[in-house]
Amino acid sequence: MSTHLSSAVMADPRELSRRYLAGGIASINRQADPDIVFSRAQGAYLWDTNGKRYIDYHAAFGPYALGHNDAAVNDAVKRVLEEGDSLYGSGTTELEGRLAELICGCAPFLESVALLNTGSEATYQAIRLARAYTGRDHIIVMQGGYNGWHNDVACNLMTPLSELGEERKGEEYPFLPISAGIPVAHQQLVHPVGFNDLEAIRTVVARHKVAAIILEPILQNIGIVKPLEGYLQGLRSIADEHGVVLIFDEVKTGFRHALGGYASIAGVNPDLAVYGKAIANGYPVAALGGKKVILDLFVDKDAKRRVLLAGTYNAHPVMVAAAIATIERLKSNDGEVYREFERKGAWLQAEIEGIGKTLGKQILVGRQGSALCPYFMDHMPVSWHDLAANHNFAVDGAIRKEVIADGIYTFPIPVKQWSISAAHTDQDLEETVKVLKKVFASAKL
């Protein structure tokens, strides 16, 4: 080991990051209080640099559906490395065609697929395809949704009500960027609306030449906010009536809830769907799939209609091997993993809500399969505005910090998703409930 590397390893990683990394951290979304440096992870557990073990429900924002360092996934990666499979830089590889076949076999509306590296890349390409396909420029996004970091969608996430103003049922909200550097002219093409508000969709479609509606079918960046009955079906009908491309951002919902994503559970087929996170159990892969007639714009003979698809690391063999192994595991035993997700998730939900009833306190749990979020309000939220107006954010934040101190790790920001993995045991869940009983009993709800 070189002297330089040795000294770097011994240095406080926080100090190194603050000195050399832009912003002091590789992704600003990872900033958290308490500021813990983790040193390793295995299965359902994390360990910090002091050797303390945590039962992990953060799962790095959700990708670890199988648990950290899943043996089957890691073995597939090792085989690729040992056999010398590489990124050749020309032509295709054996693995990428196999992964595309597996993905397309997960849902009937997946006729073709493009392989990318991140969810943000995939939503970027989905919107560009929609604009090319329709010849229109405007898009609709959801207040409280997150679809990536690029100009079209870097807006209107967890907007304070002091900035957002009154609820605008049937109308759009102003574009409220979550990043500097987005041109005003570009902002005028993007129209945020409230989730579960079909009338607002109709209003925007009537006013503008809309290319696409893009949304998480469940808002999983503000916990678990589900679509109301008929909402997704209503979006499908509006899109069909007006020639709008319907895009489901299933970066968080896809492969965690079902092989065909939440679309297959809801019975609503989008025109395009985007996947990431759980598709490769923590390895950086994303996929954009859907109607072949739209995806074929990547190779359209008319240069004026052709959409550029490029990326040196698209379908890197290591990542593709991880995705193949993950999907094969999720498919095994006729989807046994998903049955276990539902069993564990339902049990934990019932226990948490039961604690609330015992204490006479308002605790509700939004849940879909293995993803859940406790809410401290008297009803399940249906939109960001509803959640922001009624949820007890102070209690939520305080509880998260207390359970972390007791060895249960969930991201210490209110209304962020908890994720159960296939590696969580019943004993892990029971230990978690024991901690929650203690913490909830002392909370000022």
Side-chain angles (χ1 to χ4, degrees):
M1 182 179 289
S2 70
T3 303
H4 174 74
L5 181 57
S6 178
S7 63
V9 169
M10 290 188 293
D12 183 341
R14 281 169 292 209
E15 290 304 316
L16 286 174
S17 295
R18 288 167 188 154
R19 180 176 178 184
Y20 295 109
L21 271 176
I25 196 165
S27 172
I28 302 301
N29 287 342
R30 298 178 193 167
Q31 287 181 331
D33 177 21
D35 180 15
I36 301 171
V37 178
F38 294 105
S39 60
R40 66 188 181 98
Q42 182 64 51
Y45 311 121
L46 297 170
W47 286 265
D48 65 22
T49 50
N50 295 318
K52 181 176 179 178
R53 192 203 74 168
Y54 303 80
I55 301 175
D56 178 30
Y57 292 96
H58 177 42
F61 294 101
Y64 290 103
L66 302 179
H68 296 279
N69 275 310
D70 181 77
V73 176
N74 286 351
D75 285 346
V77 168
K78 290 174 186 175
R79 284 195 297 272
V80 165
L81 296 173
E82 290 168 356
E83 293 170 7
D85 286 351
S86 180
L87 184 68
Y88 303 114
S90 177
T92 189
T93 67
E94 295 177 276
L95 289 176
E96 63 192 59
R98 172 61 180 148
L99 176 56
E101 178 188 34
L102 275 173
I103 295 171
C104 287
C106 289
F109 65 85
L110 293 169
E111 300 171 350
S112 182
V113 66
L115 300 177
L116 302 155
N117 300 290
T118 68
S120 289
E121 289 178 45
T123 56
Y124 199 127
Q125 285 284 24
I127 291 169
R128 181 178 279 178
L129 279 174
R131 285 175 166 151
Y133 183 69
T134 62
R136 306 170 188 170
D137 294 332
H138 293 260
I139 68 165
I140 296 174
V141 299
M142 298 297 134
Q143 173 66 50
Y146 180 74
N147 309 114
W149 45 254
H150 51 91
N151 286 353
D152 287 309
V153 294
C155 65
N156 295 69
L157 182 50
M158 297 175 68
T159 315
L161 293 189
S162 59
E163 183 179 355
L164 188 61
E166 295 294 322
E167 187 171 14
R168 300 192 179 199
K169 288 187 176 180
E171 283 288 342
E172 64 183 280
Y173 288 96
F175 184 103
L176 299 170
I178 58 174
S179 172
I182 302 176
V184 173
H186 197 101
Q187 296 178 28
Q188 293 170 351
L189 300 176
V190 183
H191 307 277
V193 300
F195 191 63
N196 280 317
D197 187 351
L198 286 175
E199 195 55 41
I201 301 285
R202 294 189 183 98
T203 298
V204 175
V205 168
R207 289 177 181 166
H208 303 281
K209 295 180 178 179
V210 175
I213 301 166
I214 183 168
L215 75 156
E216 301 168 88
I218 301 175
L219 296 187
Q220 282 192 208
N221 281 277
I222 54 171
I224 307 292
V225 178
K226 290 188 177 183
L228 293 173
E229 185 176 354
Y231 177 68
L232 298 180
Q233 291 82 355
L235 291 179
R236 180 69 274 170
S237 295
I238 293 170
D240 289 339
E241 181 182 352
H242 295 276
V244 174
V245 176
L246 180 60
I247 305 169
F248 279 5
D249 176 353
E250 299 231 30
V251 168
K252 294 198 81 169
T253 54
F255 292 92
R256 175 168 281 280
H257 300 325
L259 288 170
Y262 190 72
S264 65
I265 295 171
V268 177
N269 292 340
D271 299 304
L272 296 173
V274 171
Y275 306 99
K277 296 190 186 291
I279 194 173
N281 202 56
Y283 285 86
V285 179
L288 164 60
K291 290 184 176 178
K292 191 173 187 299
V293 67
I294 301 177
L295 285 149
D296 276 353
L297 288 173
F298 285 135
V299 289
D300 199 285
K301 292 180 180 179
D302 183 350
K304 292 183 178 179
R305 282 177 51 82
R306 190 182 311 135
V307 175
L308 178 63
L309 174 63
T312 298
Y313 295 108
N314 289 357
H316 190 288
V318 166
M319 314 313 167
V320 170
I324 291 171
T326 300
I327 295 173
E328 288 178 340
R329 169 79 185 282
L330 293 171
K331 289 179 65 176
S332 66
N333 297 323
D334 194 30
E336 181 182 8
V337 168
Y338 294 107
R339 293 191 293 276
E340 279 294 286
F341 280 166
E342 179 59 28
R343 182 185 68 82
K344 293 173 184 177
W347 185 86
L348 188 54
Q349 176 184 3
E351 289 293 314
I352 293 173
E353 292 183 339
I355 295 169
K357 290 177 182 177
T358 299
L359 297 173
K361 298 179 179 180
Q362 293 177 339
I363 305 173
L364 296 175
V365 176
R367 184 182 67 84
Q368 180 64 45
S370 61
L372 65 153
C373 181
Y375 291 116
F376 304 97
M377 51 193 289
D378 63 4
H379 63 277
M380 291 301 302
V382 299
S383 67
W384 166 249
H385 205 288
D386 179 24
L387 176 56
N390 295 291
H391 178 70
N392 194 327
F393 283 78
V395 164
D396 191 346
I399 282 175
R400 288 170 185 261
K401 290 182 180 180
E402 287 189 44
V403 298
I404 289 171
D406 284 337
I408 307 297
Y409 193 79
T410 180
F411 199 61
I413 298 292
V415 303
K416 288 300 180 182
Q417 171 187 324
W418 295 43
S419 300
I420 299 170
S421 77
H424 282 86
T425 65
D426 289 351
Q427 183 178 349
D428 293 329
L429 300 181
E430 290 165 3
E431 184 177 337
T432 300
V433 169
K434 183 179 179 181
V435 169
L436 291 176
K437 283 181 178 178
K438 183 190 79 170
V439 172
F440 285 167
S442 63
K444 295 180 180 180
L445 294 174

